[in-house]
Amino acid sequence: MVVDLVERLQYPHDKVEGLWVIDDQHLAVLNDDDYAFSETDGVLEQKYLDKEQNRIDANTLYVIDRLDLKPIE
């Protein structure tokens, strides 16, 4: 199974923290926001999702539906 998170969710985060197969049609994805901080040269900085620095990164749970997650027999 392959799901393009950027295409399907417009996934703005830099990495995934967890996946949860809910049932045969639903997959949940949780991002890793690093407590909304990043580090540059030893200095902690607020982590943003956009260049304009309007959207602070935060933990978000995404649920993708209409998938075929039935086991292959």
Side-chain angles (χ1 to χ4, degrees):
M1 176 186 66
V2 175
V3 177
D4 184 338
L5 298 179
V6 174
E7 180 183 323
R8 186 77 184 253
L9 301 173
Q10 291 73 52
Y11 194 79
H13 312 282
D14 55 355
K15 57 188 180 276
V16 171
E17 177 72 13
L19 299 172
W20 169 29
V21 178
I22 300 170
D23 59 29
D24 289 348
Q25 295 183 355
H26 298 87
L27 176 69
V29 178
L30 182 65
N31 73 298
D32 183 356
D33 73 345
D34 298 319
Y35 303 104
F37 290 101
S38 62
E39 179 267 330
T40 304
D41 297 326
V43 177
L44 283 178
E45 301 172 325
Q46 184 71 62
K47 193 172 177 185
Y48 293 96
L49 296 176
D50 59 340
K51 291 180 183 177
E52 296 80 17
Q53 297 186 342
N54 293 321
R55 294 178 53 207
I56 295 174
D57 199 358
N59 282 335
T60 307
L61 176 66
Y62 300 89
V63 177
I64 304 169
D65 61 358
R66 297 186 306 261
L67 297 172
D68 182 5
L69 302 175
K70 296 180 190 101
I72 298 173
E73 296 182 25

